[in-house]
Amino acid sequence: MLTRRHIRVKVMQCIYALIQSKDDSLEKQQKFLRTSIENMYNLYLLLLSLLAEIQQMTDNQVKLSNKSYLENTKDNYPNKNKFVNNRLLQQIAGNKSLQGELENRKLKNWYLNEEYVKLLYKEIVESDTYASYMRSPKDSYDVDRNVILELYKNVIAPNEKIYDYFEDDKLTWVDDIPIVNTFIVKQLKKAKEDQLESFFLPPLLKDDADMDFALKLLTKTLLTDAELEKEIEGKTPNWDKDRIAEIDSILLKMAICELLNFSSIPEKVTINEFLEIAKEYSTPKSSIFINGILDKLVKEYKVDGKLKKMGRGLL
């Protein structure tokens, strides 16, 4: 679920937090990094479980409307239970492994903040996508999956109040939300009727090597900060270091550290990854500035024999 680029962003955030707090404790920063990565999975579980909560709320509302003497013309559909019985929603709502993870991690967010579930439920049932689905005579797993996919992309993911709620809960989630939403959309697209429960609980990291990479990149960058600073200064003679954007400085140090210490990662991969991160998290001209410095350094390292690469590389 978490790619190497996401991991690099996590390390960047960690170093930035250290600079802001002026806490030079390496152990604390390693713990912060682990926690930040782990919390990303909690965010995934909470967003996925929102679908189960909405399904349950829909079920409750249908039962209440069936008991009412006054028929609501807004929900006068041929089959009022169609959304409740949506096959994909049923898969998620009935996923015992998902419920187990939520309980183990003590994630009771929606039980404690039901107003957000009500908010999304209201937007969903008032949407044209929902109305079209409820009126359609078509009935298949593909139809069920497609409507949930559309509702997630157009109603749940862009909801600003949900975004604000997560931002207030954990600051590191601000950058995680788009990543997790994109991953959930991909998962929903691949969902099948005979899917195992484990499909909805993918591993956060591909393997232990990813966490090792994260911790090594963080540790090496922090411990060699002075040396990395000199490398940058040597390639920016006309720049006062105080004029270099803080994020640019962090990204440059991380990139140089990766070039010199991770022999299995090709230099092109390193440069491209950090340029993309710079485009997203720093100033409009940052990627050009960073690319110019890294290009000079790579040429210099090759001449000096400092750039030792091997293997196929890790993306």
Side-chain angles (χ1 to χ4, degrees):
M1 184 168 107
L2 204 59
T3 68
R4 285 292 175 101
R5 182 179 299 173
H6 301 151
I7 291 172
R8 290 178 177 95
V9 169
K10 287 291 182 185
V11 173
M12 176 197 74
Q13 292 170 339
C14 197
I15 296 173
Y16 182 79
L18 179 149
I19 294 171
Q20 297 302 308
S21 66
K22 297 180 180 179
D23 185 345
D24 59 358
S25 170
L26 180 58
E27 186 178 350
K28 282 186 180 179
Q29 296 311 314
Q30 290 173 332
K31 183 178 180 181
F32 178 82
L33 177 60
R34 287 182 180 274
T35 301
S36 178
I37 290 174
E38 186 62 28
N39 278 335
M40 192 171 180
Y41 201 68
N42 289 342
L43 177 62
Y44 167 77
L45 294 172
L46 287 171
L47 281 167
L48 186 65
S49 66
L50 255 179
L51 293 172
E53 296 292 333
I54 291 168
Q55 189 268 351
Q56 184 59 54
M57 183 164 286
T58 308
D59 188 29
N60 293 337
Q61 292 301 314
V62 169
K63 289 175 180 176
L64 286 173
S65 67
N66 288 338
K67 293 179 181 178
S68 174
Y69 290 104
L70 298 174
E71 186 173 13
N72 187 343
T73 55
K74 287 186 178 180
D75 62 3
N76 187 21
Y77 299 114
N79 178 8
K80 290 185 178 182
N81 288 300
K82 186 174 183 179
F83 192 75
V84 175
N85 295 330
N86 180 286
R87 295 167 180 83
L88 179 54
L89 282 185
Q90 291 278 0
Q91 277 181 312
I92 296 170
N95 192 311
K96 293 181 180 178
S97 298
L98 172 60
Q99 294 305 318
E101 276 296 315
L102 292 168
E103 290 174 11
N104 291 338
R105 295 166 182 258
K106 298 179 181 179
L107 298 175
K108 300 180 180 180
N109 298 54
W110 308 132
Y111 174 76
L112 299 172
N113 300 279
E114 192 181 35
E115 65 270 21
Y116 291 101
V117 182
K118 290 179 179 177
L119 173 73
L120 288 174
Y121 165 78
K122 186 173 184 293
E123 289 193 20
I124 285 173
V125 297
E126 290 179 353
S127 69
D128 292 338
T129 300
Y130 176 86
S132 178
Y133 170 74
M134 293 297 287
R135 292 194 188 102
S136 174
K138 295 180 180 179
D139 181 31
S140 69
Y141 185 87
D142 287 346
V143 170
D144 285 354
R145 181 188 57 223
N146 290 340
V147 73
I148 299 305
L149 188 59
E150 288 304 307
L151 289 171
Y152 193 91
K153 289 192 295 185
N154 299 321
V155 178
I156 298 175
N159 189 279
E160 291 186 5
K161 290 186 178 179
I162 295 294
Y163 186 94
D164 290 341
Y165 166 72
F166 282 128
E167 182 179 4
D168 291 340
D169 195 327
K170 284 184 176 59
L171 188 59
T172 57
W173 279 350
V174 174
D175 294 312
D176 294 342
I177 293 172
I179 296 170
V180 173
N181 277 333
T182 299
F183 182 78
I184 288 178
V185 167
K186 289 180 180 179
Q187 285 294 93
L188 295 178
K189 284 181 179 179
K190 294 186 290 184
K192 298 177 182 178
E193 193 162 9
D194 58 351
Q195 207 71 256
L196 297 175
E197 286 192 350
S198 57
F199 170 80
F200 294 100
L201 294 171
L204 175 62
L205 299 172
K206 185 173 64 176
D207 50 40
D208 292 340
D210 279 344
M211 183 60 80
D212 292 339
F213 168 75
L215 292 171
K216 184 180 178 182
L217 181 59
L218 172 69
T219 304
K220 289 276 187 182
T221 303
L222 292 177
L223 293 180
T224 59
D225 181 75
E227 292 89 335
L228 295 171
E229 187 82 50
K230 290 179 181 178
E231 294 283 351
I232 297 171
E233 289 177 357
K235 293 294 170 288
T236 55
N238 299 322
W239 280 73
D240 184 329
K241 69 177 183 179
D242 292 332
R243 291 178 59 196
I244 300 177
E246 203 160 49
I247 293 297
D248 290 359
S249 177
I250 293 171
L251 293 176
L252 276 168
K253 289 175 183 178
M254 288 174 60
I256 296 168
C257 177
E258 188 172 305
L259 286 169
L260 296 176
N261 295 283
F262 294 81
S263 60
S264 60
I265 304 178
E267 65 268 17
K268 287 185 179 180
V269 171
T270 295
I271 293 173
N272 289 338
E273 289 289 272
F274 281 100
L275 291 183
E276 290 303 313
I277 294 171
K279 288 176 185 177
E280 186 172 355
Y281 290 92
S282 197
T283 67
K285 295 182 179 179
S286 291
S287 61
I288 299 173
F289 173 66
I290 291 173
N291 186 48
I293 294 176
L294 294 180
D295 186 56
K296 291 178 184 177
L297 285 171
V298 166
K299 290 177 181 176
E300 182 181 293
Y301 293 157
K302 285 183 177 179
V303 172
D304 296 342
K306 293 172 68 176
L307 198 66
K308 299 175 181 179
K309 297 294 181 180
M310 55 185 287
R312 295 177 62 189
L314 299 172
L315 298 179

